[in-house]
Amino acid sequence: YHTNQKIDLNILGGQLGMSNLPNGPSADGLSNLLNSYIGSNKYCYMQLPKNSTATSTLRNWTVDSINNNYPIILQTMTSSLPGYGGLNYNHYIVAKGYRFGTLGASSADIIVYNDPYKDSDTPNTYGVHEIDFSAMSSAITANTAGFVVKRTV
């Protein structure tokens, strides 16, 4: 994104430790690898607090990162995400935008994200989705780690 590099997914997967399934890569491994590709220390990882401040903290981190042109990586559990039909897996997604005060006919703050998972059994998981910040913070805090890889402030 920041360097216009095209990276072979097999190479990237090896660098991230994707063979370590079902746990997958660590949040510090993700932030370190991102930093190595962009040539700076612009990314760090933080654990989202598992309390009443989770939604506002996620909102603040998202706005800061996106407004500074840094998408953020969210470590979630899939049961709260669209398309998974209640299936509950440890899963990383990438937040790329947000909107305040609009979600259909209701008024809500939403986060826009890309889900890279594509499978014939769950065809509605892949692609761009929108969900309110409260539901996303629940998906993140449901994960025992619940990390966000975001822009360093």
Side-chain angles (χ1 to χ4, degrees):
Y1 176 79
H2 280 274
T3 63
N4 288 326
Q5 288 180 303
K6 291 187 178 185
I7 304 163
D8 182 280
L9 288 178
N10 292 322
I11 292 171
L12 187 61
Q15 292 171 326
L16 286 172
M18 293 304 291
S19 60
N20 185 26
L21 296 176
N23 297 323
S26 65
D28 64 331
L30 281 169
S31 60
N32 289 337
L33 187 60
L34 279 171
N35 287 330
S36 74
Y37 273 104
I38 64 173
S40 72
N41 286 323
K42 292 291 185 181
Y43 277 98
C44 67
Y45 70 95
M46 304 287 290
Q47 188 166 24
L48 193 64
K50 296 179 187 232
N51 58 36
S52 61
T53 67
T55 300
S56 62
T57 300
L58 177 62
R59 186 182 299 113
N60 292 339
W61 289 350
T62 301
V63 168
D64 176 71
S65 288
I66 299 301
N67 285 356
N68 285 284
N69 294 318
Y70 287 91
I72 60 176
I73 300 171
L74 309 171
Q75 184 182 22
T76 66
M77 294 304 289
T78 59
S79 62
S80 298
L81 300 177
Y84 285 91
L87 296 172
N88 203 28
Y89 302 109
N90 177 28
H91 185 52
Y92 287 96
I93 57 178
V94 178
K96 66 177 203 154
Y98 63 89
R99 279 201 310 269
F100 292 142
T102 58
L103 182 60
S106 66
S107 177
D109 296 342
I110 63 167
I111 187 167
V112 181
Y113 69 94
N114 286 332
D115 191 326
Y117 186 69
K118 191 173 191 176
D119 183 272
S120 59
D121 293 334
T122 53
N124 297 322
T125 57
Y126 179 78
V128 178
H129 300 279
E130 297 180 354
I131 191 172
D132 66 66
F133 274 95
S134 177
M136 183 60 78
S137 65
S138 294
I140 295 167
T141 57
N143 191 299
T144 54
F147 284 107
V148 175
V149 178
K150 66 176 198 68
R151 182 183 85 91
T152 303
V153 179

